[in-house]
Amino acid sequence: MTISIRRTLLASALGAAALNANAVPIYQSNEVTLYMEGYFTAHMVNTMGNTSMQNGASRIRFGLNVPAYDNWDTGFNLEWGVAAINSAQNIVIQGDQQAAPGDRNQSLFLRQGHAFAKHPKWGEFSAGKQWGVYYEVTYITDWFNVSGGLASGTYGLGTDGGVTGTGRADSAFAWRKAWEFEAGEFKIGLQAAQHVAQLEIDVELTPETRLVCPPRDCEYGLSHGIAAVYRADIGDGFFIGAAFNRVKLDISSSDGLLYDISGDEPILITDEYAFSASSNDWTSALGMYYGQQAFAKGFYGAVVFQRSQNNELAPPGSVVGITNFFDAKGSESFLSYTWGRDNCYSVYGGHNYLVSDDPGFEAALVRGDRYKLAQYYLGFQYRWNERVRLYWENAVDASNEVAQPVVDDFMAVGFRIDI
C-alpha cells in the first residue's frame, strides 16, 4: 500500500502572541494596535559536495490586538514564509515537469493564520493555523539556525506538522491557560481539529488489480492534542513538560475505484468497490530544560524524547508491499552557552536522533534493517546588535542508507536580521 498526503501549508507562530520587544508598531491607538515582526535570514551551505546560497526560514508577520470589554484581548496573527534570495525555476529539456510538493517552493507562502481571544482568568482561545499545543513542549530544542527539529515528532510526515496537528496545526481550535505560583508557572493546552487533509490511496490488491480511494472518502479525521508544562524558579530556571497528539486515519469507502492492471492500460472494473480500514497517527513527547532560554546569558540545555505511531514517513522506494508510515522513537537536544558584552557570543550544539520501532515496516525495507536518522551539530553565533546576528553551523550526519536521502553532512555560514 502506498499512501501519500494532499496538503496545503497555511500558517503559524507560537500561540496568539501579544506585541513583543522586537515588533514594530504600524498603528497604535487606544482601540487597536497593528504591528509587524519577523526576520530575514540566508546562509551559504556546503553539502553533498556542493556549495550554494540557500534561503533560511525568513518570515514576516502582521498582528492585530484589539482590547475588548472586561479585560478581554482579541485579534489575529498572519505570518508568511519568504523565499527571498532565489526565484529561479527548474528548466525541463525533455518530459513533463512535475509540480513540487507543498507551498514551501513558492516565493511567499502562508505559515500562520489564526484569530484569538484571551483573558487573564479564562485563558487564551485561538482558531485557525497556529502552533499546535504539542509544540509547547518540543519548541525547547528547535533553536538551530540552519537545521534541527527532525526527531521530536513535531514536523511529522515531512510536512510542517499541519495535518497531524503537532507543528503548525491546520484548522485547529486551541485553548491555553497558565497559572502562576511563587515557585513558578503551570500551563496546559488543549487542541482539536478535523478533516484537514485527504489520503491519496493507490493499492495493488493483487498483481492484476488496483484499488484507488475516491476524493474525500479517505482522510485525516479527528485530531486531539494535549500538553502540560511546568516552569520552576530553580536556579536560572527549570522546565518540564509532556504532550500527546492523536489523529484518526479514516480509510473507508463504498465507492472505491477497482482497476484491472493486467494489460498495458488500466481498465475500470467497478466504481462501487467497498472497503474499510482504520488506524491512528499519534505521537508523545517529554521535554526538559535548564537555563533562562536559548542564547540567553549563561548555560541553556534542553532535551526532548518522543515515541510515535504512523507519524513518520520513509523516503519513496524504501519499502515494498506496505505503507511508508512507520512507528518511531527519537530524541533531540539543544545546548548553548552565551557570554560577552551584551551577551554577544554563543557557542551551541545538539543532536537529532530518530529510529524506526516497527517490525512490520523494518521487515519490508528494500535495503537495511531499520530507518535511522542521526545528526550532530556544533555552531557559533555572534550577536552584532539587538537585531543582527551572524552564525556558523556544522552538522555531522551518521544516518543509515534508508534515511540518508533526507539529510547529509553540512557546513554553513549565514546571517539573520530581525525586524
Side-chain angles (χ1 to χ4, degrees):
M1 180 185 296
T2 299
I3 299 179
S4 63
I5 299 171
R6 181 186 303 156
R7 62 190 177 87
T8 301
L9 303 183
L10 296 178
S12 199
L14 182 55
L19 189 66
N20 67 39
N22 286 330
V24 176
I26 299 174
Y27 177 79
Q28 203 164 10
S29 71
N30 293 332
E31 291 80 26
V32 66
T33 299
L34 178 65
Y35 62 93
M36 177 178 67
E37 63 181 337
Y39 57 83
F40 179 92
T41 181
H43 24 256
M44 189 70 72
V45 181
N46 178 274
T47 185
M48 297 184 181
N50 296 310
T51 300
S52 62
M53 180 173 285
Q54 297 182 6
N55 287 293
S58 302
R59 64 198 63 179
I60 185 169
R61 182 162 78 97
F62 293 93
L64 181 76
N65 285 70
V66 182
Y69 73 95
D70 193 25
N71 293 322
W72 281 95
D73 186 25
T74 63
F76 66 79
N77 287 289
L78 292 172
E79 181 179 277
W80 290 268
V82 183
I85 67 168
N86 191 334
S87 62
Q89 303 297 312
N90 293 334
I91 298 175
V92 179
I93 303 300
Q94 187 178 45
D96 296 328
Q97 183 174 8
Q98 296 182 350
D103 292 339
R104 290 177 180 272
N105 296 280
Q106 300 177 5
S107 296
L108 191 69
F109 58 93
L110 198 61
R111 289 171 48 94
Q112 169 182 318
H114 66 263
F116 67 88
K118 54 187 176 181
H119 188 275
K121 180 179 179 180
W122 303 110
E124 179 182 309
F125 300 85
S126 52
K129 178 86 171 180
Q130 58 188 293
W131 281 115
V133 298
Y134 188 84
Y135 197 64
E136 297 282 349
V137 173
T138 60
Y139 86 92
I140 65 175
T141 54
D142 195 17
W143 292 105
F144 294 97
N145 285 302
V146 180
S147 185
L150 302 175
S152 65
T154 303
Y155 306 112
L157 310 177
T159 71
D160 70 342
V163 294
T164 59
T166 51
R168 296 192 295 276
D170 287 337
S171 307
F173 295 91
W175 173 71
R176 294 170 168 91
K177 170 65 177 171
W179 292 267
E180 293 187 2
F181 306 96
E182 290 186 5
E185 178 188 80
F186 176 72
K187 183 177 182 180
I188 63 171
L190 301 176
Q191 176 184 300
Q194 56 184 340
H195 310 300
V196 298
Q198 296 181 36
L199 293 172
E200 294 182 350
I201 299 178
D202 188 327
V203 185
E204 289 190 10
L205 297 181
T206 70
E208 291 80 27
T209 58
R210 174 181 294 162
L211 171 65
V212 176
C213 184
R216 296 178 297 279
D217 276 17
C218 300
E219 63 181 2
Y220 263 68
L222 301 178
S223 167
H224 300 92
I226 184 171
V229 302
Y230 180 65
R231 293 178 177 85
D233 295 329
I234 300 173
D236 289 334
F238 176 75
F239 168 105
I240 185 168
F244 178 81
N245 190 87
R246 176 184 176 273
V247 190
K248 179 183 177 182
L249 304 182
D250 184 10
I251 306 173
S252 178
S253 179
S254 59
D255 301 311
L257 308 176
L258 187 65
Y259 291 90
D260 181 345
I261 58 172
S262 59
D264 295 335
E265 296 291 335
I267 298 174
L268 181 63
I269 300 173
T270 178
D271 59 2
E272 296 182 345
Y273 187 85
F275 65 96
S276 179
S278 64
S279 185
N280 293 309
D281 170 340
W282 63 258
T283 183
S284 59
L286 174 67
M288 296 172 283
Y289 77 67
Y290 178 81
Q292 299 179 53
Q293 62 183 24
F295 301 120
K297 182 178 181 180
F299 173 76
Y300 172 87
V303 62
V304 169
F305 302 95
Q306 73 94 354
R307 292 190 70 94
S308 59
Q309 173 181 289
N310 294 331
N311 196 59
E312 300 296 339
L313 193 64
S318 300
V319 293
V320 291
I322 65 166
T323 173
N324 289 25
F325 289 123
F326 64 89
D327 304 344
K329 56 185 177 182
S331 64
E332 295 180 6
S333 66
F334 181 88
L335 302 93
S336 68
Y337 184 78
T338 301
W339 75 99
R341 183 178 178 181
D342 299 324
N343 302 321
C344 60
Y345 304 110
S346 297
V347 62
Y348 65 93
H351 84 284
N352 278 201
Y353 183 78
L354 178 70
V355 294
S356 57
D357 188 28
D358 188 326
F361 165 82
E362 290 162 353
L365 282 169
V366 177
R367 293 181 300 275
D369 58 358
R370 65 173 177 168
Y371 178 99
K372 173 189 170 185
L373 184 151
Q375 280 201 318
Y376 304 92
Y377 307 97
L378 178 64
F380 178 80
Q381 176 176 283
Y382 173 65
R383 191 183 299 273
W384 199 351
N385 58 37
E386 187 180 87
R387 296 180 182 272
V388 180
R389 66 181 72 177
L390 308 174
Y391 53 83
W392 166 84
E393 189 169 305
N394 183 64
V396 176
D397 183 53
S399 304
N400 68 1
E401 59 182 346
V402 183
Q404 278 173 347
V406 181
V407 291
D408 196 14
D409 297 344
F410 71 80
M411 181 180 293
V413 292
F415 65 91
R416 168 173 156 170
I417 303 174
D418 293 336
I419 295 175

